[in-house]
Amino acid sequence: MQKMVEKIPLRKAIVRLDYPAIISFGNPLLDIFVALESDDLLKKYNLRSDGETELCETKIQELIVDLPSESEQRVSPGGSAQNTMRILQWLCDETHECHIGTFCGAVGTDQRGSVLEKLVRLSGVDVRYAMHTSLPTGLCISLVNGTSRSLVANLGAANIYTLEDFKKVNLRFDNVKIIYIEGFFITHSLEVAKELVKRAQEKNIIIAFNLSGLYIFKDHHPAICEMVGHAKIVFGNAREMIALAQALNVKYDDVTDIPFLLNSLKRITVDVSNATSKDWLADDGIFVMTRGGSAPAIIVWGKGQSVQVPPIVPKAPIVDTTGAGDALVAGFLAGVLAHWDPKSCLESGCRVASYITTRVGVTLPSSIPADLML
């Protein structure tokens, strides 16, 4: 029986940390949000509703030209891990007096890149971009039609982040509690991810990994499986978890079995279970699965222990689901930094994800709503 520990409010817990407490790696993108009146554009470019795809720069430019002139458009910072870092900073300290985290990725030396850096710095995140002179800054167009959205990306410079780029940044890991890596990043920078795993092992840092997208399994499932093997915490939605189970040849009857089977597999492989530890973060094999809609999110940890948290219905209407997954990770990792129990971490993630769906894109107001003061 776990001893109940009093939950310390997030901001009280955060002031006890040295910064940066979290360093994150991903594909920094500039997001353009477009509200569509019909799905004509999706049909023309063969795009799936609620899908993700990558297009070459030429195709992206064609799509930009084709955007209906009357449609509402907004620009904001994007990229999965970069979104998570901005939300996490906002949850911990929207005054930006302390930089909770550092974000690393690559951009071009173009206007898109300078706009992106300025916007991310304004959100209080310490960015350490590698600069590429020959490639454009990555772009993601979010085509929003009702409550569904289709993401179209061109990674550009974000697709190249080398060990050389990493060494140039000269990051210090002395105070870092979490290294967070998005799945998209390892499709081009697995060597950097392996170096981060090495640093994490040396300094007892938590590696948190996001499966990120269904389509990357097609060409990169060995790299994804390798990172799942190294990570302490793995995030994914039901479709991504199914793809992971297939990649690892894990047989299941129901999708809700998958995180339990993965947790069990991890314990057999790593054999790190420490029965005497009171800390749920002492073991590897923590799997967090979201299922969308009205289905509860699930966390599995330890020796098959689990909690389910039903989705929190937002107070305002849902306008855009972009970034809901990134927000859930931000709320969850905030809980990890505050040393909360698994259920509190997941509840925090669900609450933040619910709030983000009421805003277009990952846009954050200057002050945090009272009910999100975690």
Side-chain angles (χ1 to χ4, degrees), residues 108-124:
T109 51
D110 50 14
Q111 196 194 357
R112 264 187 221 165
S114 49
V115 166
L116 184 56
E117 182 165 358
K118 187 180 172 190
L119 289 171
V120 180
R121 286 196 183 281
L122 278 172
S123 69

Side-chain angles (χ1 to χ4, degrees), residues 186 190 197 207 209-211 217 221-235 240-241 244 248 262-263 265-266 270 284-287:
I186 62 155
L190 183 60
V197 167
I207 290 270
F209 178 63
N210 198 324
L211 299 176
F217 276 86
H221 74 265
I224 294 165
C225 294
E226 185 173 347
M227 280 308 295
V228 168
H230 291 307
K232 187 177 281 288
I233 306 172
V234 177
F235 298 93
E240 292 153 5
M241 288 285 184
L244 178 59
L248 290 167
L262 294 171
N263 163 273
L265 186 70
K266 189 86 181 248
V270 184
D284 287 358
I286 300 164
F287 289 87

Side-chain angles (χ1 to χ4, degrees), residues 1-3 5 274-282 301:
M1 183 84 170
Q2 267 191 332
K3 198 173 124 210
V5 182
N274 179 354
T276 58
S277 175
K278 297 276 191 291
D279 182 8
W280 66 281
L281 288 163
W301 76 96

